[in-house]
Amino acid sequence: MLLDKIPAGWHEVSLGQYLEIIEIAKSNLIDDLTKNVNILSILTDTPEARIEEMPATDFVRAVKQIAWVNEQPKPVERMPEIVDFDGVSYLVNLQIGKMEAWQWLDVMNFNQGDASENMHKIIARFCWPAKKQKTVLGHRFVKDTACELEDVEQHIRERMPVPIALGLFAFFLKTLQLTLNSILMTLSNQMSRVTWRAKLRRAMGVKQAQAELAGLWQLTELRSRLDEIGREFTKYQ
């Protein structure tokens, strides 16, 4: 029975379902009745036509059962090193600053579009399936290198519960801001040193001043780009 397939709350809803529901909820092109049909279809994996054929009394009951979709899901607040869902353990990189260069580049590219739509891809850059490895003291979790990136992204989108996904995304944004602030502070200090040396050498007629001023311009451009990235990600916090 369709009523038995309705989730009890956001904790039983996947990230992908959540993103679809959000798009429907904020649409101004469809009425509330159609929205309820669409949302029930997503939550129960049932064709919309079958839902429209339900007895009116069952449909009313079903709509009452999904009243919780009008509330914001609560993200997991404390982020552990290992998160478990759908029978898979995921290893979370809690040190975002140590992400590999390709991961950083991917995240920056994802930010060029809709960061929320790319949430599963961003999460996959610092959260990866893990496997147990025996140690002298017992075992530890290590990254499962046999997994393919596209499969991980799809699994996160289709199976990761909303509270975990939003908790991971919020953790990433907060940590990213701290990392960017640290980088910007380092750049500011470096720019100050370059400016002081360049002015001194220019006053002394030293040709190296021109090269250092060129380096200062590059640092200024980099800082502006990092500032821009920080502002873009802040929108989703």
Side-chain angles (χ1 to χ4, degrees), residues 71-155:
E71 303 174 1
Q72 287 293 328
K74 296 181 179 179
V76 173
E77 295 182 0
R78 185 178 178 183
M79 193 50 54
E81 188 177 2
I82 298 292
V83 293
D84 297 294
F85 66 92
D86 195 38
V88 181
S89 296
Y90 273 70
L91 183 63
V92 182
N93 178 8
L94 299 177
Q95 296 178 301
I96 299 299
K98 293 186 178 181
M99 287 171 60
E100 296 177 7
W102 70 271
Q103 295 170 323
W104 271 102
L105 291 172
D106 277 356
V107 169
M108 297 305 113
N109 288 331
F110 296 147
N111 188 49
Q112 300 300 315
D114 186 345
S116 60
E117 180 59 30
N118 289 321
M119 196 182 300
H120 61 296
K121 295 183 179 180
I122 293 174
I123 291 174
R125 296 315 183 266
F126 67 96
C127 184
W128 195 265
K131 60 181 180 180
K132 285 185 178 181
Q133 184 181 75
K134 290 184 178 180
T135 65
V136 177
L137 299 178
H139 71 270
R140 64 171 182 168
F141 284 97
V142 296
K143 184 177 179 179
D144 188 350
T145 56
C147 298
E148 296 290 337
L149 180 58
E150 290 185 4
D151 294 334
V152 174
E153 292 175 348
Q154 183 177 359
H155 188 238

Side-chain angles (χ1 to χ4, degrees), residues 161-177:
V162 176
I164 294 178
L166 295 185
L168 284 168
F169 195 59
F171 161 78
F172 174 79
L173 293 182
K174 182 177 180 180
T175 307
L176 177 65
Q177 284 296 121

Side-chain angles (χ1 to χ4, degrees), residues 4-117:
D4 296 330
K5 297 170 63 177
I6 297 175
W10 286 117
H11 61 285
E12 295 182 2
V13 177
S14 72
L15 173 60
Q17 290 174 313
Y18 168 73
L19 294 176
E20 290 184 57
I21 291 171
I22 291 300
E23 286 300 311
I24 292 171
K26 68 182 183 183
S27 174
N28 296 320
L29 302 178
I30 54 178
D31 56 54
D32 290 342
L33 181 62
T34 304
K35 286 182 180 181
N36 284 326
V37 171
N38 292 343
I39 291 173
L40 281 169
S41 174
I42 292 169
L43 292 176
T44 62
D45 192 24
T46 303
E48 295 172 10
R50 283 192 56 191
I51 294 176
E52 292 173 345
E53 294 170 355
M54 291 174 61
T57 52
D58 287 347
F59 180 75
V60 171
R61 287 175 58 194
V63 171
K64 288 182 178 180
Q65 282 186 228
I66 62 170
W68 48 264
V69 300
N70 297 312
E71 303 174 1
Q72 287 293 328
K74 296 181 179 179
V76 173
E77 295 182 0
R78 185 178 178 183
M79 193 50 54
E81 188 177 2
I82 298 292
V83 293
D84 297 294
F85 66 92
D86 195 38
V88 181
S89 296
Y90 273 70
L91 183 63
V92 182
N93 178 8
L94 299 177
Q95 296 178 301
I96 299 299
K98 293 186 178 181
M99 287 171 60
E100 296 177 7
W102 70 271
Q103 295 170 323
W104 271 102
L105 291 172
D106 277 356
V107 169
M108 297 305 113
N109 288 331
F110 296 147
N111 188 49
Q112 300 300 315
D114 186 345
S116 60
E117 180 59 30

